[in-house]
Amino acid sequence: MGDPTSETSVNSPGSQLPESTIRNGERRMFWLVMLVLGGQGTLTPVIVRNASEMLTSDDYVSRAVGTGKSGYTVVEILIDPTGKPQTCGVVSTSGSKDLDLKACAAGVLQGKYAPATDETGSPMYGVYRMRVRWHMELFFDASTPTPKVPADIVLEVAKLPAGQRSVAVTLAYLVGEDGAIRRCSVITSSGSAPFDTGACSSMIKHYRYAPAKDKADKAWPVIRMQRIEFTSTKLG
Protein backbone atom coordinates (compact mmCIF):
# COMPACT_ATOMS: atom_id res chain seq x y z
CA MET A 1 0.00 0.00 0.00
CA GLY A 2 2.86 2.34 0.63
CA ASP A 3 5.18 3.52 3.35
CA PRO A 4 4.19 6.16 5.92
CA THR A 5 7.88 7.02 6.33
CA SER A 6 10.10 7.75 3.38
CA GLU A 7 13.28 9.48 2.41
CA THR A 8 13.60 10.77 -1.06
CA SER A 9 14.43 8.79 6.16
CA VAL A 10 9.56 -4.12 33.10
CA ASN A 11 7.59 -1.38 34.60
CA SER A 12 3.95 -1.87 35.47
CA PRO A 13 1.29 0.71 34.48
CA GLY A 14 1.72 3.81 36.60
CA SER A 15 5.41 3.23 37.28
CA GLN A 16 8.15 5.52 36.04
CA LEU A 17 11.14 5.35 33.73
CA PRO A 18 14.40 7.10 34.60
CA GLU A 19 14.55 10.88 34.64
CA SER A 20 14.98 12.12 31.08
CA THR A 21 15.78 15.09 28.87
CA ILE A 22 14.32 16.24 25.53
CA ARG A 23 16.85 17.42 22.96
CA ASN A 24 15.01 19.69 20.56
CA GLY A 25 16.53 23.13 20.89
CA GLU A 26 16.24 23.16 24.67
CA ARG A 27 16.90 20.86 27.59
CA ARG A 28 14.13 20.06 30.07
CA MET A 29 13.93 17.57 32.91
CA PHE A 30 10.87 15.40 33.34
CA TRP A 31 9.65 11.90 34.18
CA LEU A 32 8.36 9.46 31.57
CA VAL A 33 5.11 8.02 32.90
CA MET A 34 3.56 4.97 31.28
CA LEU A 35 0.14 5.13 29.64
CA VAL A 36 -2.27 2.25 29.16
CA LEU A 37 -2.85 2.30 25.38
CA GLY A 38 -4.83 -0.90 24.93
CA GLY A 39 -8.53 -1.16 24.22
CA GLN A 40 -8.69 1.42 21.44
CA GLY A 41 -8.10 1.64 17.71
CA THR A 42 -4.93 2.96 16.14
CA LEU A 43 -4.34 6.34 14.55
CA THR A 44 -3.07 5.91 10.99
CA PRO A 45 -0.83 8.62 9.50
CA VAL A 46 -0.82 9.81 5.89
CA ILE A 47 0.68 7.23 3.54
CA VAL A 48 2.44 8.23 0.31
CA ARG A 49 1.72 5.75 -2.46
CA ASN A 50 4.48 6.74 -4.88
CA ALA A 51 7.48 7.87 -2.83
CA SER A 52 9.98 6.48 -5.36
CA GLU A 53 8.36 8.45 -8.21
CA MET A 54 8.17 11.94 -6.67
CA LEU A 55 11.83 12.77 -7.30
CA THR A 56 14.13 11.16 -9.85
CA SER A 57 17.90 10.86 -9.88
CA ASP A 58 17.97 13.81 -12.29
CA ASP A 59 16.20 15.98 -9.70
CA TYR A 60 18.73 15.02 -7.02
CA VAL A 61 21.92 15.25 -9.05
CA SER A 62 21.36 18.12 -11.48
CA ARG A 63 19.87 20.41 -8.89
CA ALA A 64 22.52 19.66 -6.28
CA VAL A 65 25.44 19.96 -8.70
CA GLY A 66 23.98 23.09 -10.27
CA THR A 67 23.91 24.92 -6.95
CA GLY A 68 26.95 23.29 -5.39
CA LYS A 69 24.78 22.19 -2.48
CA SER A 70 24.16 18.89 -0.74
CA GLY A 71 22.33 17.87 2.41
CA TYR A 72 18.76 17.37 3.61
CA THR A 73 15.54 19.23 2.99
CA VAL A 74 12.69 18.35 5.35
CA VAL A 75 9.19 19.48 4.38
CA GLU A 76 5.72 18.97 5.86
CA ILE A 77 2.71 18.65 3.56
CA LEU A 78 -0.86 19.08 4.82
CA ILE A 79 -3.06 16.38 3.26
CA ASP A 80 -6.86 16.74 3.40
CA PRO A 81 -9.34 13.88 4.09
CA THR A 82 -9.61 13.15 0.36
CA GLY A 83 -5.86 12.65 0.01
CA LYS A 84 -5.17 15.98 -1.73
CA PRO A 85 -2.19 18.17 -0.69
CA GLN A 86 -3.20 21.55 0.71
CA THR A 87 -0.04 23.34 1.83
CA CYS A 88 3.69 22.67 2.16
CA GLY A 89 6.26 24.18 4.50
CA VAL A 90 10.01 23.74 4.89
CA VAL A 91 10.89 22.40 8.35
CA SER A 92 14.64 22.09 7.80
CA THR A 93 16.50 23.72 4.91
CA SER A 94 19.25 22.19 2.81
CA GLY A 95 20.80 25.64 2.60
CA SER A 96 19.48 26.15 -0.92
CA LYS A 97 16.11 27.83 -1.50
CA ASP A 98 15.94 26.24 -4.95
CA LEU A 99 16.32 22.72 -3.58
CA ASP A 100 13.85 23.38 -0.78
CA LEU A 101 11.22 24.66 -3.25
CA LYS A 102 11.87 21.65 -5.49
CA ALA A 103 11.16 19.32 -2.56
CA CYS A 104 7.85 21.06 -1.77
CA ALA A 105 6.84 21.11 -5.44
CA ALA A 106 7.51 17.39 -5.75
CA GLY A 107 5.49 16.61 -2.63
CA VAL A 108 2.51 18.73 -3.69
CA LEU A 109 2.45 18.17 -7.46
CA GLN A 110 3.76 14.61 -7.77
CA GLY A 111 2.75 12.91 -4.53
CA LYS A 112 -0.20 10.52 -4.34
CA TYR A 113 -1.49 10.05 -0.82
CA ALA A 114 -3.84 7.94 1.27
CA PRO A 115 -5.35 10.23 3.92
CA ALA A 116 -4.80 9.83 7.63
CA THR A 117 -7.54 8.09 9.61
CA ASP A 118 -8.63 8.17 13.24
CA GLU A 119 -9.22 5.15 15.49
CA THR A 120 -12.56 4.42 13.79
CA GLY A 121 -11.04 4.50 10.30
CA SER A 122 -12.61 7.85 9.39
CA PRO A 123 -10.43 10.01 7.06
CA MET A 124 -9.14 13.29 8.45
CA TYR A 125 -6.44 15.88 7.85
CA GLY A 126 -2.88 14.68 8.27
CA VAL A 127 0.66 16.01 7.94
CA TYR A 128 3.15 14.08 5.81
CA ARG A 129 6.79 14.72 6.69
CA MET A 130 9.20 14.14 3.80
CA ARG A 131 13.01 14.15 3.88
CA VAL A 132 14.95 14.66 0.67
CA ARG A 133 18.68 13.94 0.63
CA TRP A 134 20.51 15.95 -2.01
CA HIS A 135 24.02 14.93 -2.95
CA MET A 136 26.59 15.87 -5.58
CA GLU A 137 27.34 13.20 -8.17
CA LEU A 138 31.01 14.14 -8.12
CA PHE A 139 31.36 12.90 -4.55
CA PHE A 140 28.89 10.03 -4.69
CA ASP A 141 30.36 6.67 -3.76
CA ALA A 142 28.07 3.68 -4.28
CA SER A 143 29.97 1.76 -1.60
CA THR A 144 29.02 4.35 1.01
CA PRO A 145 25.81 3.38 2.84
CA THR A 146 22.88 5.76 2.89
CA PRO A 147 23.03 7.84 6.09
CA LYS A 148 20.70 6.84 8.88
CA VAL A 149 17.50 8.86 8.86
CA PRO A 150 17.71 11.09 11.95
CA ALA A 151 15.09 10.99 14.66
CA ASP A 152 12.62 13.86 14.96
CA ILE A 153 13.05 13.99 18.73
CA VAL A 154 15.81 12.56 20.94
CA LEU A 155 15.07 11.67 24.57
CA GLU A 156 17.96 11.06 26.95
CA VAL A 157 17.35 8.50 29.68
CA ALA A 158 19.47 7.23 32.52
CA LYS A 159 19.38 3.61 31.33
CA LEU A 160 18.47 1.69 28.16
CA PRO A 161 17.55 -1.98 27.74
CA ALA A 162 20.52 -4.31 28.22
CA GLY A 163 23.08 -4.09 25.43
CA GLN A 164 21.34 -1.24 23.57
CA ARG A 165 22.97 2.09 22.71
CA SER A 166 19.66 3.54 21.51
CA VAL A 167 16.07 2.49 20.92
CA ALA A 168 13.55 4.13 18.61
CA VAL A 169 9.76 4.20 18.37
CA THR A 170 7.52 5.71 15.69
CA LEU A 171 4.37 7.39 16.98
CA ALA A 172 1.21 8.82 15.43
CA TYR A 173 -0.54 11.70 17.20
CA LEU A 174 -3.93 13.30 17.00
CA VAL A 175 -3.10 17.01 17.29
CA GLY A 176 -5.86 19.52 18.03
CA GLU A 177 -6.47 22.84 16.28
CA ASP A 178 -4.46 24.50 19.05
CA GLY A 179 -1.41 22.32 18.38
CA ALA A 180 -1.72 20.21 21.55
CA ILE A 181 -1.33 16.42 21.26
CA ARG A 182 -4.64 14.79 22.24
CA ARG A 183 -3.99 11.10 21.64
CA CYS A 184 -1.08 8.88 20.64
CA SER A 185 -0.63 5.50 18.95
CA VAL A 186 2.50 3.38 18.51
CA ILE A 187 3.16 2.73 14.81
CA THR A 188 6.53 0.97 15.09
CA SER A 189 7.49 -0.34 18.50
CA SER A 190 10.88 0.12 20.13
CA GLY A 191 10.56 -3.45 21.38
CA SER A 192 10.06 -2.19 24.93
CA ALA A 193 6.58 -1.40 26.23
CA PRO A 194 7.84 1.04 28.90
CA PHE A 195 9.71 3.06 26.28
CA ASP A 196 6.78 2.99 23.81
CA THR A 197 4.27 4.25 26.33
CA GLY A 198 6.81 6.54 27.97
CA ALA A 199 7.42 8.24 24.63
CA CYS A 200 3.68 8.80 24.14
CA SER A 201 3.12 10.22 27.61
CA SER A 202 6.16 12.53 27.49
CA MET A 203 5.25 13.98 24.09
CA ILE A 204 1.62 14.56 25.12
CA LYS A 205 2.78 16.37 28.23
CA HIS A 206 5.73 18.38 26.89
CA TYR A 207 5.37 18.91 23.13
CA ARG A 208 3.18 21.35 21.21
CA TYR A 209 2.93 21.99 17.47
CA ALA A 210 2.09 25.10 15.51
CA PRO A 211 -1.55 24.74 14.36
CA ALA A 212 -1.91 23.05 10.96
CA LYS A 213 -3.71 25.43 8.58
CA ASP A 214 -5.17 24.94 5.12
CA LYS A 215 -5.06 27.35 2.16
CA ALA A 216 -7.81 29.45 3.73
CA ASP A 217 -5.75 29.78 6.95
CA LYS A 218 -8.20 27.60 8.89
CA ALA A 219 -6.69 25.38 11.59
CA TRP A 220 -7.63 21.69 11.58
CA PRO A 221 -7.09 18.75 13.91
CA VAL A 222 -4.52 16.56 12.19
CA ILE A 223 -2.70 13.28 12.54
CA ARG A 224 1.09 13.57 12.63
CA MET A 225 3.82 10.99 12.78
CA GLN A 226 7.13 11.30 14.59
CA ARG A 227 10.17 9.08 15.18
CA ILE A 228 11.43 9.22 18.76
CA GLU A 229 14.87 7.94 19.71
CA PHE A 230 16.04 7.17 23.25
CA THR A 231 19.74 7.51 23.98
CA SER A 232 21.89 7.25 27.09
CA THR A 233 25.48 7.84 28.07
CA LYS A 234 25.30 4.55 29.96
CA LEU A 235 24.76 1.13 28.40
CA GLY A 236 21.83 -0.90 29.67
Side-chain angles (χ1 to χ4, degrees):
M1 179 172 62
D3 187 349
T5 61
S6 69
E7 178 186 344
T8 303
S9 184
V10 180
N11 290 2
S12 60
S15 61
Q16 295 178 322
L17 292 174
E19 194 174 54
S20 309
T21 303
I22 280 187
R23 280 212 313 260
N24 188 37
E26 63 175 326
R27 299 179 68 86
R28 297 172 59 187
M29 303 302 294
F30 59 91
W31 292 90
L32 301 182
V33 183
M34 287 190 62
L35 293 175
V36 179
L37 299 179
Q40 61 181 0
T42 301
L43 300 168
T44 303
V46 170
I47 293 174
V48 62
R49 299 184 184 277
N50 64 332
S52 63
E53 300 172 3
M54 286 196 292
L55 286 165
T56 68
S57 58
D58 289 338
D59 291 314
Y60 282 91
V61 176
S62 64
R63 293 273 180 166
V65 171
T67 60
K69 296 287 186 179
S70 61
Y72 279 96
T73 296
V74 181
V75 299
E76 289 189 340
I77 305 162
L78 179 64
I79 308 298
D80 72 16
T82 69
K84 294 180 180 178
Q86 290 288 309
T87 59
C88 179
V90 176
V91 176
S92 179
T93 180
S94 64
S96 166
K97 183 177 180 180
D98 184 60
L99 295 183
D100 295 345
L101 290 175
K102 178 63 178 178
C104 258
V108 171
L109 300 177
Q110 304 299 326
K112 298 178 181 179
Y113 304 95
T117 58
D118 65 13
E119 295 94 339
T120 68
S122 299
M124 61 181 297
Y125 278 85
V127 174
Y128 178 69
R129 189 178 183 97
M130 181 174 76
R131 290 183 176 87
V132 179
R133 184 171 68 95
W134 308 97
H135 61 79
M136 295 181 65
E137 186 177 33
L138 179 64
F139 300 110
F140 179 70
D141 181 355
S143 66
T144 302
T146 300
K148 176 184 175 182
V149 176
D152 298 303
I153 295 290
V154 176
L155 302 178
E156 292 184 350
V157 295
K159 188 177 181 180
L160 291 169
Q164 299 292 315
R165 292 187 178 275
S166 68
V167 294
V169 56
T170 302
L171 305 175
Y173 311 124
L174 175 60
V175 181
E177 296 96 322
D178 60 353
I181 299 174
R182 307 298 186 194
R183 298 196 295 277
C184 174
S185 293
V186 175
I187 301 301
T188 304
S189 173
S190 66
S192 169
F195 282 90
D196 289 351
T197 52
C200 269
S201 60
S202 343
M203 297 309 297
I204 288 173
K205 183 176 181 181
H206 296 283
Y207 205 85
R208 197 179 188 93
Y209 289 95
K213 297 182 179 181
D214 62 15
K215 296 177 182 177
D217 203 38
K218 175 179 171 58
W220 290 92
V222 296
I223 291 177
R224 288 179 171 270
M225 187 171 65
Q226 204 164 46
R227 182 173 179 271
I228 311 297
E229 183 175 8
F230 293 92
T231 63
S232 176
T233 55
K234 300 179 181 179
L235 290 178

